[in-house]
Amino acid sequence: MIATPALARVGLAYALVAVALRLTVAAPEHCGAEPSPERFRAAAEDGVAWIVANQRPDGSYLYEWRPGAGASPTYNRVRHAGVTLALYQAGAVEAADAATGWLTARLEHRHGWAAVAEGSRAPLGATALLVAALAERRAGTGDDRHDELLRSLGAFMVAVQRPDGGFTLGWDLAADRPDTSGTSRYYPGEALWALARLAAAFPGEGWDGPARRAADFVATRRDEVENVAFPPLNDHWGAYGLAELAAQEPLPGEWLAYARLLHGRFDLLVRNEAKRRDSGPASVLHGPARRAAALGTWVEGEAALWRLAQQEPALADLADDALGTAACGAGLLADRQVHAGPREERGAWFTDGVTRNDDQQHAVSGLLATAAGLERP
Amino acid sequence: MTLVRAALVLAAVVNGPAAVPLVVGLPGGRRAAVTAVGLAAAAVGAAAALSGPLLDALDVGVPSAQISAGALAAVGGLLAFVNGSWGELARDGRSGLVVPLVVPALAGPGPLAVAVALAARHGTATALAAAAVAAAVTLALVVWTPRRPWGPPLAARLLGAAALAGAVELAVEGVLGV
């Protein structure tokens, strides 16, 4: 071979970069055991079993558990609503109804609406997720007993929607006006989905207008308003909302373009998670595994985008990718679940020695949605 | 990334003018240059065609492949921009057709990685078409770059800068997944 000093330097530079890439960006990705809907459903059932086994007699949930330290005294009503949603998605109606009873006993009723109260405020997110949960119950059981409540909760969401389609934080109960003390990155997506579900449940009642305004805000302005450093925000609630709206009407090109970007974000997050290991250089270079609440939302998001792609021809090309990424994330979730120990541990997902009920919520929702996608012919 | 842009990025990363100092020492002149570019195009095309099995074997996803290709293309672009060539002739004034002209000069890690990433993201047909166009552009540049002392280094540096821009686009495409 005729080698020159310049070529030797070129070769060395490429070799060093290639090694660095293999350790970092191009590290092997492992998506857990072979993906199968049966395995994912079994993991979801175990997660539901954890939620139900640790539910309090009054319908509230075990919020957070650390072996050796026990249960945390804190609580979060937004997460209570979210866990209840997951139970309805899993068909655990009895346990979910008990949780719904706990939450509806803590509603604030004024100005013709109803909202979940937490202290001196009524956070939008809790109400939105309660709407999603009750809509899920209605769709799954055919029971319309909560229809008037759904309309009242919906009226609250409309009351706190801004002219730009975004939302305030909720309601300041002490001052009796919209809570404009800040904004939330994820409440708009939650409200979008909730309003879209109301539009589906009650066609012709005018819920579609606020839902479309929320979708337009989420797809075209939210990331800028919330100063998201590297958009798009990984908003699985937004993905849920767009998929729900697409079932009712074709979506504008701008929203579909946003959905495509959202798929890219979830895909990158899941693929990076698939590079993480418990030992070896990867554990140092790629950091520790993210908690199930995070990974679960990415799986939920991809599964929702897969459903969206089934309905929108312009996104048909990303359907297989989205379901594949969801399956990768679901495989990681199934691998990381705890399967032994006392009832506070068995069926849960732990990170840094602690589990929180939304770890189980998002994991269960993601596993079920992915299983449903894989089972579809 | 459109077919035209893909072809231009690939041509910039291959950087024919940077290989001119090696071409000069080839017996057979332009005919040899055509052969070299043809062999390099075949190597790049093979990389594109084998993209799927290769990434499967390495357990690397498409976004990671794109970001990696962007990094390798950036390395090549930077080297070409700084050095102005892929190398110089040996002391006896000779050069090798396959080594070092085809590999690692024309069909080096950068072009091969870019071909793999293009095929993974945009399909094998698009990547092969881009490789064919890039080969034609490369041959034209190798043959017609002015043989003044400043000609090849200037062209190489311009293409190196273009390769850096293309590398950023590839990496961003990988991050955004679009």
Side-chain angles (χ1 to χ4, degrees):
Chain A
M1 174 183 166
I2 299 172
T4 67
L7 277 174
R9 285 195 296 273
V10 167
L12 181 62
Y14 273 123
L16 289 174
V17 170
V19 169
L21 285 174
R22 186 55 175 166
L23 290 175
T24 56
V25 175
E29 300 166 6
H30 295 298
C31 296
E34 194 64 27
S36 74
E38 294 79 22
R39 183 159 187 254
F40 296 160
R41 286 198 181 280
E45 279 172 21
D46 288 349
V48 168
W50 182 94
I51 297 170
V52 174
N54 292 289
Q55 189 173 26
R56 310 303 193 211
D58 66 355
S60 64
Y61 301 113
L62 170 59
Y63 180 68
E64 194 173 80
W65 175 265
R66 182 185 292 274
S72 165
T74 60
Y75 206 71
N76 182 294
R77 293 182 187 181
V78 177
R79 291 189 172 123
H80 178 104
V83 175
T84 306
L85 165 65
L87 287 182
Y88 282 128
Q89 288 173 326
V93 177
E94 190 176 332
D97 279 350
T100 294
W102 183 90
L103 204 54
T104 54
R106 288 156 179 79
L107 293 178
E108 183 72 21
H109 296 267
R110 55 174 84 175
H111 306 300
W113 46 250
V116 176
E118 189 155 30
S120 64
R121 298 179 190 281
L124 171 64
T127 297
L129 290 182
L130 178 57
V131 167
L134 293 178
E136 184 71 29
R137 182 190 192 283
R138 189 180 191 274
T141 64
D143 184 347
D144 61 0
R145 72 179 67 179
H146 293 300
D147 279 11
E148 286 315 303
L149 175 58
L150 276 168
R151 291 184 174 95
S152 296
L153 297 169
F156 172 72
M157 291 191 290
V158 174
V160 299
Q161 187 171 35
R162 299 192 308 252
D164 67 352
F167 297 84
T168 66
L169 275 178
W171 201 266
D172 184 332
L173 297 172
D176 195 24
R177 57 177 167 78
D179 182 356
T180 56
S181 62
T183 59
S184 163
R185 290 184 162 191
Y186 290 100
Y187 284 179
E190 290 167 346
L192 155 61
W193 187 32
L195 288 165
R197 297 216 70 167
L198 289 177
F202 310 121
E205 290 190 16
W207 301 107
D208 53 334
R212 280 201 298 271
R213 286 194 292 278
D216 198 64
F217 174 78
V218 166
T220 66
R221 285 187 294 283
R222 184 270 310 275
D223 287 351
E224 186 178 346
V225 167
E226 292 296 331
N227 294 314
V228 176
F230 299 103
L233 181 71
N234 47 297
D235 183 7
H236 65 295
W237 301 120
Y240 270 119
L242 291 177
E244 188 70 45
L245 280 178
Q248 301 166 39
E249 60 188 73
L251 303 187
E254 265 188 308
W255 301 1
L256 298 180
Y258 165 75
R260 189 175 287 278
L261 286 176
L262 201 53
H263 160 63
R265 178 50 43 87
F266 288 132
D267 189 48
L268 186 67
L269 288 168
V270 171
R271 297 298 174 183
N272 278 340
E273 190 65 20
K275 297 183 174 79
R276 300 183 198 273
R277 302 284 181 276
D278 291 334
S279 60
S283 66
V284 175
L285 291 169
H286 298 286
R290 296 292 300 276
R291 68 183 314 152
L295 175 56
T297 63
W298 309 335
V299 175
E300 288 179 88
E302 281 288 71
L305 291 173
W306 172 80
R307 293 194 298 277
L308 175 61
Q310 300 296 306
Q311 300 166 101
E312 288 287 352
L315 295 181
D317 63 297
L318 62 79
D320 287 346
D321 268 356
L323 189 58
T325 302
C328 180
L332 292 172
L333 285 170
D335 268 12
R336 294 174 182 178
Q337 190 177 29
V338 171
H339 294 288
R343 64 180 171 87
E344 294 87 356
E345 297 175 26
R346 194 170 56 251
W349 283 267
F350 281 80
T351 307
D352 293 331
V354 66
T355 187
R356 200 170 62 206
N357 60 12
D358 66 329
D359 290 319
Q360 278 64 266
Q361 169 204 337
H362 291 296
V364 165
S365 295
L367 286 162
L368 289 174
T370 305
L374 292 173
E375 289 163 347
R376 188 164 168 167
Chain B
M1 188 179 284
T2 63
L3 171 59
V4 171
R5 288 180 74 85
L8 290 175
V9 169
L10 201 45
V13 176
V14 170
N15 205 327
V20 165
L22 296 173
V23 170
V24 167
L26 283 178
R30 286 190 181 185
R31 196 169 180 176
V34 171
T35 303
V37 172
L39 288 174
V44 171
L50 294 171
S51 168
L54 178 64
L55 294 182
D56 283 346
L58 293 173
D59 280 330
V60 172
V62 174
S64 300
Q66 286 184 286
I67 298 169
S68 301
L72 288 170
V75 168
L78 191 60
L79 288 169
F81 185 78
V82 170
N83 293 333
S85 77
W86 288 135
E88 304 298 332
L89 295 176
R91 285 199 198 113
D92 62 3
R94 290 187 299 124
S95 180
L97 178 68
V98 176
V99 178
L101 183 54
V102 175
V103 178
L106 291 173
L112 294 177
V114 169
V116 168
L118 286 175
R121 174 58 71 187
H122 301 287
T124 304
T126 299
L128 288 175
V133 173
V137 171
T138 298
L139 185 60
L141 288 172
V142 169
V143 171
W144 287 314
T145 297
R147 291 297 193 262
R148 303 282 192 274
W150 48 264
L154 176 63
R157 289 189 166 100
L158 288 173
L159 281 176
L164 281 170
V168 170
E169 183 172 352
L170 268 173
V172 168
E173 200 177 80
V175 170
L176 294 180
V178 295

